[in-house]
Amino acid sequence: MLAPSQFSFVFSKAIPAGSPTITILARFNDCGRARLGITVPKKKVKLAVQRNRIKRCIRESFRLNAHAFPNIDIIVIAKHGVADLSNAALHKQLSSLWKRMKQRCQ
């Protein structure tokens, strides 16, 4: 998802799932597939290298789990402390959030 209107659509009536470092919001769509939007604010993660690493990990984790989602738009929001996580820890946290989101969207 790229357009601000798509993000606003999800924010208006979102189904949340969260952890101390990541929040996931979702809402059913009419596209026929799951879509992903990512926000990693500069205030929360200072260095561009870290922001890009986090976004790559989120995209890869979503790619591996997208087949199991219904038709939903998902927004992943990074919080303070996410830059301190290793890639393995980030993938582990995301996989538990994906499972929680699947349960809430059924």
Side-chain angles (χ1 to χ4, degrees):
M1 296 184 332
L2 297 173
S5 61
Q6 295 169 338
F7 278 78
S8 298
F9 173 76
V10 176
F11 285 131
S12 64
K13 291 185 182 176
I15 302 168
S19 71
T21 56
I22 296 173
T23 298
I24 295 179
L25 304 173
R27 185 173 178 188
F28 288 97
N29 67 24
D30 297 330
C31 285
R33 62 183 173 89
R35 299 187 302 175
L36 178 67
I38 303 171
T39 60
V40 183
K42 215 183 231 189
K43 277 189 170 183
K44 309 294 180 185
V45 182
K46 298 291 183 196
L47 299 178
V49 173
Q50 293 176 343
R51 288 194 303 275
N52 292 335
R53 177 185 65 87
I54 291 164
K55 288 188 272 189
R56 276 195 309 272
C57 288
I58 292 169
R59 278 191 215 105
E60 179 65 15
S61 180
F62 177 77
R63 185 187 68 80
L64 294 173
N65 292 288
H67 67 280
F69 288 121
N71 300 337
I72 57 175
D73 289 339
I74 298 171
I75 297 177
V76 180
I77 304 167
K79 298 181 190 176
H80 280 293
V82 72
D84 299 332
L85 296 175
S86 67
N87 287 353
L90 186 57
H91 276 286
K92 185 176 179 181
Q93 193 169 77
L94 284 168
S95 65
S96 69
L97 288 171
W98 297 139
K99 287 178 190 174
R100 197 175 327 153
M101 186 56 68
K102 288 175 206 170
Q103 292 171 350
R104 290 185 181 181
C105 289
Q106 291 180 355

